[in-house]
Amino acid sequence: MENFNRLNDLYFKKLLGDKKRKNLTLSFLNGILNKDDENCFTDITFLDKDNEPLTLDGKLSKLDIRADLNDGTQVDIEVQVCPFKLMAERSLYYWSKMYSEQLEKGAEYKKLKKAIAINLLAFDYLEDEQDWHNIYNLLNVKSHNKLTDHIEIHFLELPKFTLKDMRKIRASEAWIAYFSGKYSKEELEEIAMTTPAIKEAVEFEDTFLQNKIERRAYEQREKAIRDYYSYMSAFKEEGLQQGIQQGIQQGLQKGRQEEKIKNAINFLKLGVDVETVARGVNLSINEVEQLKTKLNI
């Protein structure tokens, strides 16, 4: 299917949020977290988070995959397709909930495990960063020493991604190339030679699109996203027109006020009394008296 959106929430969760394909999720996580064969994650348990979002923003743009890894590490994968300015605050909020929910009342802090938030973004978010993958920890502002390794937040910005050498591709790059939609099936097949999980993802994609029910649900979700963008564009256009009209009115009012003040000054310089000037130029007596004081007349 041409222009297939692999960040579509329904498809993404089918691909990486299903225990039947947890090998793909582990491949994605181990790649993004730069794990090698010796320290890679070997198992994952998905936490049930199938509740439908209640807001338009959530319904169209947010996907949550929550899971426990085999060493107890907590992970949250979030997909955001619609630009959102407070992504950092939102990610930190969800990270804090994930971290705090580990402990039951009265439990010891030593039971807390590392929590990782991964944000897969379809838009540019970090204006001061050039790299597509940026990782944030809790550091000393002077020494840059890490306070704890329990907090780790990743931002993956798809528009910034460009594959430099397909022959020397890392697993993280292979997955981002897949989700970016910038590469053809032939190029993905070449990538799959170094990352077999991508081949399995492409095969699942074909199966997904051949299922009429799944494809229909996918298309409805895509239409909802297009409608959302259309509504937002219309609102912005309407707001722009209102702003222009308001600016014109304010400009006219300012021009009239300046003209009144200019005439009042001329009359005052001619010796006309304050009350007459006020009536003549349509200013208050107090405003004319203030002008007279400033002019020292």
Side-chain angles (χ1 to χ4, degrees), residues 23-38:
N23 63 307
L24 299 184
T25 315
L26 286 168
S27 171
F28 174 80
L29 289 173
N30 284 323
I32 295 301
L33 301 176
N34 198 29
K35 299 290 185 179
D36 55 31
D37 292 339
E38 294 183 359

Side-chain angles (χ1 to χ4, degrees), residues 140-232:
N140 184 308
V141 295
K142 292 183 179 180
S143 67
H144 292 177
N145 290 329
K146 190 183 296 186
L147 178 64
T148 175
D149 67 351
H150 275 207
I151 179 171
E152 190 170 300
I153 299 179
H154 295 246
F155 290 95
L156 315 176
E157 299 171 274
L158 295 184
K160 293 179 180 178
F161 176 77
T162 301
L163 192 56
K164 296 179 181 179
D165 189 346
M166 202 169 291
R167 296 167 299 180
K168 299 179 180 179
I169 188 171
R170 295 177 299 167
S172 60
E173 295 172 324
W175 276 109
I176 297 304
Y178 174 75
F179 285 119
S180 71
K182 297 179 181 179
Y183 302 92
S184 66
K185 281 287 184 70
E186 291 74 19
E187 289 172 318
L188 290 177
E189 288 175 0
E190 186 175 347
I191 292 173
M193 294 177 67
T194 59
T195 310
I198 299 301
K199 180 180 180 181
E200 188 175 340
V202 172
E203 291 173 350
F204 173 75
E205 179 182 320
D206 291 337
T207 302
F208 177 87
L209 290 174
Q210 289 171 12
N211 185 308
K212 293 182 179 180
I213 296 176
E214 300 280 24
R215 180 161 179 159
R216 175 60 177 164
Y218 162 85
E219 291 172 346
Q220 288 178 331
R221 213 60 142 196
E222 288 299 289
K223 180 180 182 301
I225 293 173
R226 290 194 298 271
D227 290 345
Y228 174 79
Y229 276 121
S230 179
Y231 294 150
M232 291 300 100

Side-chain angles (χ1 to χ4, degrees), residues 235-254:
F235 291 151
K236 288 180 181 178
E237 182 66 25
E238 182 179 351
L240 177 62
Q241 292 298 326
Q242 291 178 349
I244 291 173
Q245 291 299 323
Q246 185 176 3
I248 292 173
Q249 292 299 322
Q250 290 176 345
L252 290 173
Q253 292 174 1
K254 183 178 179 181

Side-chain angles (χ1 to χ4, degrees), residues 9 55-62 81-82 221 224-225 227-229:
D9 58 352
T55 64
L56 181 64
D57 172 65
K59 195 171 184 62
L60 297 185
S61 60
K62 179 178 179 294
V81 297
C82 299
R221 213 60 142 196
I225 293 173
D227 290 345
Y228 174 79
Y229 276 121

